[in-house]
Amino acid sequence: MLTVHHLEKSRSHRVLWLLEELGLEYELKTYQRNPRTMLAPTELKAVHPLGKSPVITSDGMTLAESGAILEWLAEQHAEKGFSVPATDPARAEYLYWLHYAEGTLMPLLVMTLVFRRVPKSRMPFFAKPVAKSITRNVIRSFIQPQVDTQLQVLNDHLQQHDWLVANRFTCADIQLSYPIEAAASRYGLGDAYPALAAYLERLRARPAYQVAIDKGGPVTL
């Protein structure tokens, strides 16, 4: 039996989602974040030395990293059509979008989260105005412009396509879902990126997405 070690409000929602799309049975072990630090509990280190989620275990195999897990699951069940085979001309584009989510877009959103938390951390009262000013300027002058560029590129692409690649729903769409959810939560999509906002609604409308929410809880912090 495949076991998913799922951390609440994390990337591991994507693993639950794909498993539901594939119609596979699995055991779900859910871990709660530390309410003060919002970090994963130490119990996860007994599963994988990094102590992070998602992690899956099956028949003595342990695999971490959401992208690796999605790719492995999709290729193990290639007949379901959630991956793009090596012989398909769309394979290169599929790999690009699959790795773009964590390699390009997500680091900017993590930086946003970290910098927004800096002024909320414990420090002398006289340092807070300085911390707020620095973080606000870093987000406005460095992070926000890069996020805007990424969201515009995605919006332009999705004006021409319902899904990212191969004219069908694939693991690339599942992988991108988390940073898009995070971007919507931290920056908003609004009227600026209508194609991207519509794409996010298509993702959320999939029955397997909703089942994953029911089983694993909300997607983002």
Side-chain angles (χ1 to χ4, degrees):
M1 172 69 74
L2 185 149
T3 300
V4 181
H5 299 270
H6 168 68
L7 178 65
E8 62 170 344
K9 299 178 182 178
S10 77
R11 292 164 168 85
S12 62
H13 169 265
R14 296 182 289 200
V15 177
L16 304 183
W17 181 7
L18 178 57
L19 287 167
E20 295 296 334
E21 294 278 3
L22 292 170
L24 299 179
E25 293 186 3
Y26 61 94
E27 180 185 3
L28 178 62
K29 290 189 176 181
T30 300
Y31 300 77
Q32 305 299 317
R33 293 178 179 273
N34 182 304
R36 184 178 61 81
T37 66
M38 298 308 294
L39 297 177
T42 55
E43 290 88 337
L44 268 171
K45 287 189 176 181
V47 183
H48 189 278
L50 289 179
K52 294 182 180 294
S53 178
V55 178
I56 62 170
T57 53
S58 178
D59 298 325
M61 181 271 295
T62 300
L63 184 61
E65 290 292 340
S66 57
I69 294 169
L70 295 188
E71 201 165 352
W72 183 79
L73 286 171
E75 291 180 359
Q76 289 291 307
H77 303 275
E79 75 282 357
K80 300 286 189 177
F82 291 99
S83 62
V84 176
T87 55
D88 192 311
R91 172 73 173 182
E93 187 179 15
Y94 167 73
L95 290 175
Y96 168 73
W97 288 117
L98 190 67
H99 294 280
Y100 162 87
E102 290 294 328
T104 300
L105 182 55
M106 198 60 210
L108 295 170
L109 300 170
V110 171
M111 282 193 284
T112 301
L113 182 63
V114 170
F115 273 94
R116 284 180 176 174
R117 285 187 175 177
V118 168
K120 299 177 183 178
S121 60
R122 297 181 65 180
M123 65 181 72
F125 74 92
F126 55 81
K128 279 194 176 288
V130 177
K132 288 181 179 179
S133 177
I134 291 173
T135 55
R136 185 169 53 246
N137 288 335
V138 169
I139 292 172
R140 184 177 63 243
S141 63
F142 175 70
I143 302 175
Q144 176 84 59
Q146 295 194 57
V147 171
D148 290 343
T149 296
Q150 300 301 325
L151 297 183
Q152 189 61 59
V153 167
L154 283 165
N155 191 76
D156 291 347
H157 181 74
L158 290 163
Q159 283 180 333
Q160 308 298 322
H161 308 86
D162 284 343
W163 306 112
L164 289 174
V165 62
N167 295 316
R168 60 185 175 86
F169 179 80
T170 69
C171 272
D173 297 292
I174 295 177
Q175 181 72 344
L176 186 63
S177 67
Y178 187 82
I180 297 304
E181 290 277 11
S185 173
R186 293 165 201 173
Y187 288 96
L189 301 179
D191 297 330
Y193 310 105
L196 188 54
Y199 170 72
L200 179 56
E201 290 309 309
R202 286 195 295 278
L203 296 175
R204 289 171 172 173
R206 293 187 69 88
Y209 175 103
Q210 296 171 25
V211 172
I213 292 287
D214 289 341
K215 290 185 176 182
V219 179
T220 59
L221 292 172

